[in-house]
Amino acid sequence: MPTVLVPAYCPGAAMVRTVSDLRTARPDWAVLVVDDGSGTAYDDRFAQARAAGAEVLTLPINRGKGAALKAGLAHVLATRPGSPVICADGDGQHALADIVAVGERLLEDAGARRIVLGTRSFDATSDGHLVPLRSRVGNGVTRWLFTAATHSRVPDTQTGLRGIPADLLGWAGTVPGERYEYELQVLLRAGRSGIDLDPLPIATIYLDDNSASHFRPVVDSLRVYAPLLAFLASSLAAFVIDTVALLVLQALTGDLLVSVVGARVTSAGVNFVVNRRLVFDGERRVRTRTAAVRYAALATALLALNFLLLTALGAAGIALLPAKVLTELALVSTSFAAQRAFVFRAPATFTGSPQGQPTSPTDASTTVDTTSR
């Protein structure tokens, strides 16, 4: 039977209602609440969750939503092997029927390598009100960047309602990220790990204009967008180097092929070093020689596409500089997806417990109440 994992930081009464409703609707499902260092002021709230039938795992300090989720996944791995996990927020913004629906979809094919995503519509909430502006804009920008980076479309990249099969809990625990960026990192890494994303429409609920959310619009948005923005910055730097070298070599030689090759060799070296050390440093590290060979193969393919596009645009009467800009814009998302999925990808491990996370109820950094299941 599945375990419903609820990360909670300074929760309101909605968290207790979520636990109580779940235990009533699905008494055979376990509920695990992770107290993400809320402090003693919230002891009574978590005591109410225990009384409602939840197990509570307490982290001594606030570490972020990603860390809380990974601590919960590690605990399920250690104490309920074989149990799939449904991650659900405890702020009342996931309807009971939707949590149950995600769990039932997950159980339909428990052995499938897929993550079930409860996906919201951002046109309007389920009661007919407008979705808060920051949520509409944030989700829209993230969807666009995600599609540009991965060439796949996910209707709701920031949903907290997800179903994870038991066989993928170890993998999910190794995905980097401690705070809100963790959930996007899971989606970014799923495709290259051969894991499908299975969207399931759910109700769109925002209570009191999402006032219960602990999401910090500036700081946490930067964390979420960091992997994509870092790559775009690296690509911009490489573009500037590549373009300047192309224009100089074209002026000196008058040969487009020589100019394109010379410029790309110059910029590719810089791009490889920057991406390996800064952009994809959070990945499982692949050997430099292996990454260099893969990068050379990718760069050769992109170089051929670059030359063909420049030639076609030139034949259409477009000047070299605007043709170069259009060509790079067309290829940047392909380059990101290929580097993440191929160049800097090391073999993933799916055995054992997530690194750095508690593996048993006796881990010194956590407190677990096991009186209620």
Side-chain angles (χ1 to χ4, degrees), residues 195-215:
I195 299 169
D196 294 329
L197 300 177
D198 181 15
L200 178 68
I202 63 171
T204 304
I205 302 173
Y206 283 93
L207 302 177
D208 299 324
D209 202 33
N210 207 23
S211 60
S213 174
H214 296 287
F215 187 87

Side-chain angles (χ1 to χ4, degrees), residues 160-199:
L161 181 54
R162 305 177 176 202
I164 307 174
D167 290 346
L168 295 182
L169 298 188
W171 170 84
T174 65
V175 173
E178 296 292 295
R179 296 187 180 275
Y180 288 102
E181 76 279 8
Y182 169 74
E183 291 173 310
L184 181 60
Q185 294 279 29
V186 168
L187 302 187
L188 286 170
R189 283 162 172 73
R192 71 185 182 88
S193 298
I195 299 169
D196 294 329
L197 300 177
D198 181 15

